[in-house]
Amino acid sequence: MMTPQVITPQQMQQILQQQVLSPQQLQVLLQQQQALMLQQQLQEFYKKQQEQLQLQLLQQQHAGKQPKEQQQVATQQLAFQQQLLQMQQLQQQHLLSLQRQGLLTIQPGQPALPLQPIAQGMIPTELQQLWKEVTSAHSAEETTGNNHSSLDLTTTCVSSSAPSKTSLIINPHASTNGQLSVHTPKRESLSHEEHPHSHPLYGHGVCKWPGCEAVCEDFPSFLKHLNSEHALDDRSTAQCRVQMQVVQQLELQLAKDKERLQAMMTHLHVKSTEPKTAPQPLNLVSSVTLSKSASEASPQSLPHTPTTPTTPITPVTQGPSVITTTSMHTVGPIRRRYSDKYNVPITSADIAQNQEFYKNAEVRPPFTYASLIRQAILESPEKQLTLNEIYNWFTRMFAYFRRNAATWKNAVRHNLSLHKCFVRVENVKGAVWTVDEVEFQKRRPQKISGNPSLIKNMQSSHSYCTPLNAALQASMAENSIPLYTTASMGNPTLGNLASAIREELNGAMEHTNSNESDSSPGRSPMQAVHPVHVKEEPLDPEEAEGPLSLVTTANHSPDFDHDRDYEDEPVNEDME
DNA sequence: TGATGAATAAACATCA
DNA sequence: CTGATGTTTATTCATC
């Protein structure tokens, strides 16, 4: 049953759903899958990148014999190097994020992944020099037209620094049908063989099960804790699925950035070299392992046929679109279910957690207009805003709202008028809008008021997913890395991921509402599901009771923007 | 399948 | 008259 191969997310999902594995098997499987998939992706990615870059360099050097062209080549190389470094930084961010969550165990003094020596040990000039050397050393290869025939540098770089722990053997040509295929002859040694007390879910005396952080003094007690607290039940299964979502999301972004880089290279390559030695630009698509299903999903599908992320099990089919940012400008209105469809209130910290992301990524925030308006108003010092100030907040906080102003502004006005929770107050200098918090709370719980268990589930689910989600988002936001996805394709953005996770967890937990007791039905959903601030260092013994104890430091991100309103800068310069 | 909530579109009114 | 603001109605869609 434990085949030494990377299984597809769908297969994983099936396993999880059918619950055919024991808890230990499930955990081990998940750890291995996650580590393997990530490492395989990363290694393959860097290998391909360097192949492309090297080929690019080679061809350009050959083509450009005049000094002018040489300069141009150098400039382009620089751009590539910068892109490469950016990608490496992105990968490191993701790795750090995963490491924090216990997904990856990095041994001290041992490079966890090949990207580290690349990213840390080489500055652009060094890279360039290295490329030159390699290019000159293999100049005889340039006529073969084969872009992977002479890549001693890359293969050396990748394989020599690959973690011996995993002994991965990468097959760079095996990314077909979106399946990941890594041959891992020593897969079982991933975590236990050489370090019998090293466990991906155990570190610093803390259980690193996502959202747990229980303190375990030694390894045996950790194992005991693992078996008792994280047995194969609905909760653990749900958490596993969440973790899958996180990993899948990382993979999606990786695929997207790969596409972007390769499109850059293709673009420049086509311009600057003869097609004779060129790798077919169309190859680029096939090299993106995860984009196959997306390319199958009818690229010409209309923006009005949204594929809402209601099936987070297979977000792959929605994510890596061939459509890039340029095509997003024509994104029309789409309807989307928002994350408060289960009456999970969108709170300030929910929005605040995502602010950096939505500021930069032209992705529709998964919050209702009402939630956003309320947030805007509550953020203001006076808890009141004019309509125009609300507009400005929208455009300032969300890249998405820098377009189609007529549409969303109308929606804002519509919401202000429609919902009783927004109160118009005549002021000396005009009218301002305020929030009637009581009314705002009223309009939410009515739907599930008769079913407290659902509320409970929501709270549980939120507690499960928030740390993961937040960590993921934090890793993205730190670099202000937007997801270059398309709203028209119903892409699983981070925000959507949050809702998708909640949704899925809610479904998973629907029939397990008898075990958690920390949520009193009388409590306001707002309080109960208040967002969680995820700590960076899982060393707090107070959080040792399990996932549900994570509702700790309700954090309103004090640095959430500077409350500077009225900035009448033309934020809407590109509105149609 | 109907009810409901939300998004979107649009008509219309008011006012500076 | 024009544009901003505000109200209201209708339609569509997704979900339950």
Side-chain angles (χ1 to χ4, degrees):
Chain A
M1 84 198 324
M2 302 282 284
T3 61
Q5 288 179 356
V6 176
I7 63 178
T8 66
Q10 287 76 20
Q11 288 170 326
M12 174 75 84
Q13 191 65 37
Q14 227 167 6
I15 290 173
L16 286 171
Q17 284 173 337
Q18 294 170 355
Q19 300 187 355
V20 294
L21 299 181
S22 73
Q24 289 76 20
Q25 289 166 335
L26 189 63
Q27 289 160 12
V28 170
L29 178 64
L30 274 172
Q31 296 151 12
Q32 290 171 347
Q33 291 299 315
Q34 288 161 348
L36 286 175
M37 288 166 72
L38 265 167
Q39 293 182 4
Q40 187 261 351
Q41 292 255 322
L42 288 170
Q43 290 176 353
E44 186 177 347
F45 168 57
Y46 285 110
K47 190 169 188 307
K48 281 186 188 298
Q49 264 194 333
Q50 295 209 352
E51 287 175 0
Q52 294 279 341
L53 287 168
Q54 185 189 354
L55 188 70
Q56 175 84 12
L57 180 72
L58 190 142
Q59 289 162 345
Q60 286 181 344
Q61 280 190 342
H62 196 60
K65 293 194 164 57
Q66 301 171 2
K68 235 184 206 173
E69 298 180 16
Q70 293 280 10
Q71 272 188 347
Q72 195 183 0
V73 166
T75 305
Q76 290 178 349
Q77 286 169 5
L78 201 62
F80 282 131
Q81 290 158 14
Q82 287 170 350
Q83 171 75 4
L84 178 61
L85 288 177
Q86 182 186 339
M87 297 292 297
Q88 288 166 348
Q89 287 170 1
L90 164 68
Q91 299 303 323
Q92 283 189 310
Q93 288 293 329
H94 290 176
L95 284 171
L96 285 175
S97 167
L98 288 169
Q99 193 184 355
R100 280 201 294 267
Q101 299 174 28
L103 281 184
L104 291 178
T105 304
I106 297 177
Q107 299 302 316
Q110 181 186 27
L113 283 169
L115 71 91
Q116 286 202 335
I118 298 173
Q120 293 175 353
M122 293 187 196
I123 60 177
T125 52
E126 289 173 331
L127 267 177
Q128 192 168 346
Q129 180 61 33
L130 203 43
W131 287 338
K132 279 181 182 168
E133 290 174 8
V134 172
T135 306
S136 61
H138 297 277
S139 58
E141 305 275 352
E142 63 184 314
T143 54
T144 64
N146 192 337
N147 63 351
H148 53 260
S149 57
S150 62
L151 297 172
D152 290 356
L153 166 66
T154 54
T155 39
T156 302
C157 233
V158 169
S159 59
S160 66
S161 56
S164 59
K165 207 166 115 182
T166 53
S167 305
L168 293 180
I169 296 176
I170 304 297
N171 178 1
H173 312 297
S175 58
T176 57
N177 290 331
Q179 301 266 348
L180 306 171
S181 59
V182 177
H183 302 283
T184 58
K186 291 178 66 179
R187 190 164 147 272
E188 287 76 12
S189 70
L190 183 63
S191 54
H192 302 294
E193 203 169 81
E194 297 177 17
H195 307 278
H197 282 198
S198 159
H199 194 288
L201 287 174
Y202 183 61
H204 299 96
V206 181
C207 172
K208 290 189 170 181
W209 183 277
C212 176
E213 302 180 11
V215 173
C216 305
E217 290 183 359
D218 50 15
F219 194 73
S221 64
F222 159 73
L223 288 178
K224 188 180 172 186
H225 161 81
L226 197 61
N227 292 329
S228 61
E229 296 299 317
H230 306 303
L232 180 56
D233 54 13
D234 286 333
R235 196 178 72 181
S236 298
T237 305
Q239 290 172 319
C240 284
R241 293 159 90 184
V242 167
Q243 198 60 41
M244 286 175 56
Q245 300 276 314
V246 172
V247 173
Q248 286 177 350
Q249 191 64 30
L250 291 174
E251 290 164 354
L252 287 180
Q253 177 155 12
L254 176 60
K256 291 204 162 303
D257 278 301
K258 282 164 74 177
E259 265 187 291
R260 192 154 63 109
L261 174 60
Q262 295 194 337
M264 280 174 64
M265 294 192 288
T266 304
H267 170 70
L268 295 176
H269 176 268
V270 167
K271 269 189 179 172
S272 59
T273 65
E274 299 147 9
K276 193 159 95 182
T277 57
Q280 305 90 328
L282 293 181
N283 284 351
L284 302 178
V285 178
S286 63
S287 70
V288 180
T289 53
L290 287 173
S291 66
K292 174 180 176 289
S293 51
S295 58
E296 287 175 349
S298 70
Q300 69 266 37
S301 66
L302 295 175
H304 271 280
T305 54
T307 53
T308 48
T310 54
T311 55
I313 293 172
T314 58
V316 176
T317 61
Q318 303 166 352
S321 161
V322 291
I323 302 174
T324 60
T325 47
T326 54
S327 62
M328 293 168 59
H329 298 178
T330 60
V331 165
I334 56 165
R335 293 165 189 274
R336 174 158 304 175
R337 280 293 160 262
Y338 286 164
S339 62
D340 56 352
K341 63 184 158 187
Y342 288 111
N343 297 300
V344 178
I346 301 303
T347 63
S348 303
D350 268 328
I351 299 173
Q353 275 182 357
N354 299 297
Q355 58 140 337
E356 276 304 322
F357 172 72
Y358 290 113
K359 261 184 183 174
N360 299 305
E362 203 167 303
V363 169
R364 186 190 185 98
F367 313 113
T368 61
Y369 281 112
S371 298
L372 291 173
I373 294 168
R374 170 180 169 271
Q375 173 67 18
I377 294 173
L378 293 185
E379 251 178 49
S380 66
E382 310 287 327
K383 301 285 182 290
Q384 59 181 32
L385 287 180
T386 66
L387 180 65
N388 198 46
E389 288 161 3
I390 296 175
Y391 289 162
N392 290 337
W393 186 88
F394 269 67
T395 49
R396 193 171 70 239
M397 304 304 293
F398 299 94
Y400 178 85
F401 291 122
R402 285 158 205 164
R403 308 192 175 280
N404 300 320
T407 297
W408 65 261
K409 283 182 177 179
N410 183 30
V412 167
R413 292 195 306 273
H414 167 77
N415 273 263
L416 285 171
S417 288
L418 190 68
H419 298 306
K420 275 187 286 184
C421 56
F422 299 122
V423 183
R424 184 174 178 273
V425 177
E426 286 288 345
N427 211 344
V428 272
K429 52 177 184 179
V432 292
W433 290 93
T434 61
V435 177
D436 185 342
E437 199 62 33
V438 179
E439 281 292 332
F440 187 85
Q441 302 300 325
K442 256 204 274 183
R443 53 186 272 275
R444 302 193 155 276
Q446 52 188 8
K447 196 169 169 186
I448 55 175
S449 58
N451 190 354
S453 65
L454 273 179
I455 303 177
K456 191 184 299 179
N457 287 338
M458 290 310 302
Q459 293 159 357
S460 305
S461 305
H462 195 75
S463 301
Y464 296 154
C465 72
T466 298
L468 305 172
N469 189 34
L472 171 62
Q473 291 168 15
S475 74
M476 307 266 188
E478 278 169 13
N479 277 349
S480 299
I481 299 166
L483 283 181
Y484 285 93
T485 49
T486 72
S488 64
M489 298 290 287
N491 59 303
T493 65
L494 293 175
N496 290 337
L497 177 65
S499 67
I501 287 173
R502 290 176 195 154
E503 182 180 6
E504 182 175 3
L505 276 169
N506 190 52
M509 304 296 294
E510 212 153 20
H511 50 283
T512 62
N513 48 16
S514 58
N515 48 351
E516 313 296 350
S517 61
D518 65 333
S519 57
S520 57
R523 180 161 27 159
S524 140
M526 183 64 123
Q527 294 172 293
V529 202
H530 209 287
V532 179
H533 173 66
V534 180
K535 294 179 177 166
E536 294 284 323
E537 291 302 321
L539 293 175
D540 192 346
E542 293 181 1
E543 300 186 4
E545 306 125 16
L548 294 178
S549 67
L550 278 172
V551 184
T552 51
T553 54
N555 186 341
H556 187 79
S557 285
D559 56 340
F560 184 59
D561 214 83
H562 334 319
D563 275 345
R564 48 167 194 101
D565 329 335
Y566 320 130
E567 202 164 284
D568 290 331
E569 87 246 58
V571 257
N572 314 335
E573 85 289 343
D574 54 353
M575 297 185 308
E576 283 82 18

